[in-house]
Amino acid sequence: MGHAIEFQDVTKTFRGAGRPAADHVDFVVEKGEFITILGSSGCGKTTLLKMVNRLYEPDSGKITLFGTDISTMDVVKVRRGIGYVIQQIGLFPHFTVGENIAVVPKLLKWEKEETDARVEELMNLIGLEPEEYKNRYPAQLSGGQQQRVGLARALAADPKILLMDEPFGAIDSITRMKLQDELVALHGGMGKTILFVTHDIEEALKMGTRVMIMNDGRIVQFDAPENIIRNPADGFVKSLVESAKAKEQFWERFQ
Amino acid sequence: MEYLVNYYDKLLGAAAEHLQIVLVSMALSLAAAMILTVLCDMVPLISGVMLGFLSVVYSVPSLAMLAVLIPVTGLGRTTAIIVLIIYNQYLLLRNFLAGLDGVDGGVVEAAAGLGMSPFQILVKIKFPLSKRAMIAGIRIALVSTVSIATIAASINAGGLGTILFDGLRTMNASKILWGSILSALLAILLDWILGVAEKRQKSYSL
Ligand SMILES: Nc1ncnc2c1ncn2[C@@H]1O[C@H](COP(=O)(O)OP(=O)(O)OP(=O)(O)O)[C@@H](O)[C@H]1O
Ligand SMILES: [Mg+2]
């Protein structure tokens, strides 16, 4: 079967850019891992995700999913098997919430009853009452609610691999915590492989079975959360960890 | 006024003929423009070339265009309709492509990322979301068609142009006047109908 996701020396430079957005990226992710990806803005996290579902093609190197080179696979089929939460949310404004969530099941020609049941199930999971929200248009939702619908849409067809680009960015901390727990539970129960981009180091350390830290298109450290905290690979990782610790001290002041 | 009272049946007949030429040309123009739009969307490289070419064609004076076509398709309505279709391609394609371009990139990317094929993205996402821009383009083409269609009379294709050209030949001011007024009214009426249709389209801004 092979590794769930493997990058072999993948490089991608956008036209006109001074340096690569992905610079000789090389890593392996096994089935069932929950990988969180951290790194400052513009370091190439989104680029990395988009190469997995071939929204971007690498200039060189090879990417395989479960042992198959994705450049040899039908791109539409690859994508239907991968859940994708895009950073800009990207809900279809002319579809209702229910229709947005049902997009991939419909593309896969599920039975209508099955699709409907799945939509209800997911709406309950993301905490949006189906009765009330199913027939609304995205413009009638708050930013955080839109983001949750984007999450449900990615989960709809039960994909083996999930790519999530800052899926909780616009969500309040209480709902966020609940969604984090649900995603972790979902992940544990289903053996899904997840790549999860976040700017929140605590979220990254809490959710990830391993954490990937990127800087300037390169992976600077890719390790279990406790190893990242104990042995930061370089100054950049160290400053990230320290920023999280500083936050903790801030809270201790109030106790 | 006297002319209107005495010849209203002739005027109405010409107006009906004019309307017919306009509607047939518009229907065929739309079909052709949709095909070109799909092509340009599927093969983005050709859209620049295509628009450039059509804009050159668009700048050819209508009488010259008729003169070029007459040896091929002869005098009459068919030639007139072909000319109108050719002119419309520039107006329609330009506006259609601008409409498609205006669709939020994040939405299109989400559609691709979820596994819609390029054709599904076009039909399910891009067209519905650019309906307003497309109708706006159709309105421009329609008004232009009503006006250019008067030229058709010069090759015996009928329509309000017949009355206009008659008036010019015999120096009859009321014929010129009524031919022009009816043509303008027709343009305003058709444009108004589409204006209502345009307003009825929801705008889906988030
Ligand atoms: N489509 C594109 N065309 C050209 N350059 C791009 C494109 N997408 C990204 N880039 C550039 O590639 C680099 C990496 O971008 P990327 O979107 O992967 O960053 P990111 O880590 O996701 O940042 P953020 O945290 O802000 O989302 C940036 O310098 C960006 O300007
Ligand atoms: Mg990003």
Side-chain angles (χ1 to χ4, degrees):
Chain A
M1 200 58 172
H3 311 293
I5 304 172
E6 181 170 15
F7 273 53
Q8 292 171 28
D9 201 25
V10 172
T11 296
K12 164 99 194 160
T13 311
F14 288 104
R15 225 182 304 154
R19 56 182 163 71
D23 193 358
H24 300 284
V25 173
D26 212 79
F27 66 88
V28 169
V29 172
E30 302 299 342
K31 179 172 183 290
E33 282 198 282
F34 193 135
I35 308 298
T36 49
I37 305 178
L38 270 174
S40 38
S41 188
C43 71
K45 305 179 295 293
T46 298
T47 306
L48 188 134
L49 285 199
K50 285 185 186 171
M51 286 193 292
V52 177
N53 61 9
R54 289 187 62 190
L55 286 172
Y56 293 156
E57 301 286 350
D59 300 331
S60 64
K62 191 165 122 179
I63 300 168
T64 62
L65 297 183
F66 299 107
T68 313
D69 182 345
I70 55 170
S71 66
T72 65
M73 295 161 76
D74 175 38
V75 65
V76 165
K77 241 185 240 152
V78 173
R79 290 173 183 164
R80 285 180 193 174
I82 299 177
Y84 180 40
V85 182
I86 120 167
Q87 191 169 5
Q88 305 89 315
I89 309 179
L91 295 183
F92 305 124
H94 57 310
F95 287 5
T96 62
V97 167
E99 289 165 345
N100 264 285
I101 299 175
V103 163
V104 184
K106 276 196 185 138
L107 287 173
L108 296 171
K109 306 208 158 51
W110 286 17
E111 296 292 330
K112 191 179 176 312
E113 296 75 44
E114 197 185 355
T115 306
D116 289 347
R118 182 67 178 152
V119 168
E120 295 243 331
E121 181 188 0
L122 284 165
M123 290 196 66
N124 287 321
L125 180 84
I126 58 170
L128 292 181
E129 178 58 42
E131 294 283 284
E132 188 176 347
Y133 291 100
K134 197 168 154 190
N135 295 317
R136 289 206 196 178
Y137 286 92
Q140 299 164 319
L141 301 180
S142 75
Q145 290 170 336
Q146 290 177 15
Q147 211 163 36
R148 281 185 267 164
V149 175
L151 174 68
R153 183 176 65 175
L155 291 170
D158 209 7
K160 286 207 225 76
I161 293 178
L162 266 170
L163 308 175
M164 314 178 83
D165 204 342
E166 293 188 45
F168 300 154
I171 294 171
D172 68 276
S173 54
I174 295 175
T175 314
R176 187 172 179 137
M177 204 121 82
K178 195 181 133 243
L179 285 175
Q180 287 172 350
D181 292 340
E182 257 156 23
L183 190 59
V184 168
L186 199 86
H187 163 256
M190 318 286 255
K192 287 187 193 306
T193 310
I194 301 181
L195 298 186
F196 183 105
V197 172
T198 173
H199 275 296
D200 180 342
I201 180 160
E202 279 150 62
E203 185 169 76
L205 294 170
K206 167 184 163 190
M207 298 184 73
T209 52
R210 281 198 295 161
V211 182
M212 179 185 289
I213 298 178
M214 294 184 69
N215 194 15
D216 281 347
R218 277 186 302 265
I219 297 177
V220 288
Q221 191 164 11
F222 187 19
D223 213 335
E226 54 274 18
N227 292 338
I228 301 252
I229 296 169
R230 272 192 226 117
N231 311 306
D234 66 1
F236 178 74
V237 182
K238 209 171 188 171
S239 60
L240 260 179
V241 173
E242 268 158 17
S243 75
K245 282 184 183 154
K247 221 168 160 190
E248 208 160 291
Q249 281 163 9
F250 169 82
W251 286 111
E252 277 165 7
R253 284 212 328 245
F254 294 94
Q255 282 167 4
Chain B
M1 250 328 139
E2 208 178 314
Y3 179 82
L4 177 65
V5 177
N6 290 339
Y7 293 98
Y8 77 93
D9 52 338
K10 194 174 162 210
L11 274 170
L12 275 184
E17 234 171 40
H18 204 86
L19 182 67
Q20 195 195 349
I21 296 173
V22 168
L23 292 182
V24 171
S25 325
M26 277 309 289
L28 295 173
S29 299
L30 282 175
M34 285 303 274
I35 293 171
L36 292 184
T37 307
V38 173
L39 270 176
C40 286
D41 186 75
M42 297 288 146
V43 195
L45 281 176
I46 64 171
S47 65
V49 180
M50 186 102 82
L51 276 179
F53 171 72
L54 288 175
S55 78
V56 171
V57 172
Y58 185 71
S59 68
V60 175
S62 39
L63 283 173
M65 183 91 80
L66 287 173
V68 170
L69 276 174
I70 288 168
V72 188
T73 49
L75 289 172
R77 201 163 289 180
T78 314
T79 307
I81 289 174
I82 292 175
V83 169
L84 291 170
I85 294 172
I86 293 175
Y87 278 127
N88 276 335
Q89 293 317 297
Y90 177 63
L91 297 174
L92 291 174
L93 188 67
R94 221 188 112 107
N95 281 288
F96 285 5
L97 291 180
L100 297 186
D101 254 7
V103 176
D104 178 5
V107 170
V108 174
E109 194 168 278
L114 293 173
M116 286 195 189
S117 67
F119 189 70
Q120 286 170 327
I121 294 175
L122 185 64
V123 172
K124 293 188 178 171
I125 309 295
K126 286 189 188 168
F127 275 145
L129 290 177
S130 54
K131 246 191 244 164
R132 283 185 132 208
M134 293 178 70
I135 295 180
I138 296 173
R139 286 175 74 175
I140 297 171
L142 190 60
V143 171
S144 131
T145 303
V146 172
S147 116
I148 300 179
T150 53
I151 303 289
S154 66
I155 54 164
N156 297 329
L160 288 166
T162 321
I163 298 187
L164 267 172
F165 281 107
D166 259 10
L168 282 172
R169 210 179 46 238
T170 59
M171 294 303 280
N172 180 338
S174 36
K175 277 194 176 177
I176 299 178
L177 188 67
W178 282 109
S180 312
I181 290 179
L182 281 183
S183 156
L185 280 179
L186 194 60
I188 292 170
L189 175 74
L190 292 174
D191 188 53
W192 175 79
I193 293 173
L194 278 187
V196 172
E198 187 181 339
K199 287 218 186 64
R200 282 174 137 219
Q201 301 303 323
K202 266 197 231 162
S203 93
Y204 291 105
S205 57
L206 275 181

